[in-house]
Amino acid sequence: MSELKRGYLFGIVAYCLWGFFPLYIRMLRPAGAVEILAHRVVWSVAFVALVLTVVRRWPFLREVARRPGKLAGISLASALIAINWGMYIFGVNTERVVETALGYFIGPLVMVLLGVVVLRERLNAAQWTAVGIGTAAVAVLTIDYGRLPYIALTLAGSFGAYSLVKKRLALPAAEGLFVESAVLGMPALAYLAWLTVHGDSTFGHGGGHTALLVLAGAATATPLLLFAGAANRIPMTGIGILQYIAPILQLGCGVLIFHEPMPPARLAGFALVWLALIVFTVDGLRTSRRRAAERDREPVLAA
């Protein structure tokens, strides 16, 4: 198998795992959202520590520890991913899987806006059109829900900001996840200890439930590591297309498995989001092809 095909395989598996993740979260009941988040953090640290031991990548962490600026950036990334994880778990466990799917559908549009606001990037006409359609979609969904779709917006905003911070940090996948989880590890352990002291912990109440909580670390880290393998092997346009697998599957879980409502107005809002994404994706593919053609036309200088 070629490296390109292996990359696409890694990416498809990663996004499918993320797409079906609501099913796993539901199996963690009766644990609450914060308890699930704490276990997810603690067992992610343990699982990735095992991975780093196997691949012998611990020396990298000493380099990070000597750079206070990078540690500050990692702390910010940790806070953002904790918000993202916590809101996602809350959405799934409060019967709003469809809204969590919406968050990941509008994520690329939020990333574009963050690029304009934070990085001072300029948008072309197609990108502005996509953002405008996406804004109209949020307005329609706000009317349908009777409130702002805050779960979706928080998921999109927190992951978009997290992605920007991660891009600037440029950390390898396993090492980055370990350090981010480790920053959250002590507060997570303290919360779990508090739950245990007050008799509110669900950990240990049944072997199956306890095993699922422990496996939350592997369930969190595995798709991230697969995604890193995909990102290193396939072009960004490929990643851009594959990223829609997860919210499509999440939407399917919400509507077909959990039987969440999809009234006509909500469907219209989603249709506008999909239209915006089509405009955005088509423009991205055209831009990528144009740049590739320009590179092909560049003269090759003799050595």
Side-chain angles (χ1 to χ4, degrees), residues 110-121 160-161 164-165 168:
V110 172
M111 281 291 293
V112 170
L113 283 176
L114 286 173
V116 172
V117 175
V118 179
L119 303 179
R120 306 298 182 187
E121 295 177 351
L164 282 179
V165 174
R168 293 190 172 186

Side-chain angles (χ1 to χ4, degrees), residues 74-92:
I74 291 170
S75 298
L76 176 58
S78 299
L80 291 168
I81 200 61
I83 292 170
N84 184 270
W85 287 356
M87 184 60 73
Y88 181 78
I89 296 166
F90 171 76
V92 171

Side-chain angles (χ1 to χ4, degrees), residues 24 28 35-51 85 177-178 181-182 184-185 188-189 192 201 203-204 209-222:
Y24 184 84
L28 298 179
E35 182 181 4
I36 294 172
L37 173 62
H39 277 289
R40 193 175 181 183
V41 167
V42 169
W43 297 113
S44 290
V45 174
F47 180 79
V48 181
L50 177 62
V51 171
W85 287 356
L177 178 60
F178 175 81
S181 300
L184 301 170
L189 277 174
L192 293 176
S201 174
F203 189 78
H209 177 69
T210 300
L212 286 172
L213 286 174
V214 172
L215 289 172
T220 296
T222 300

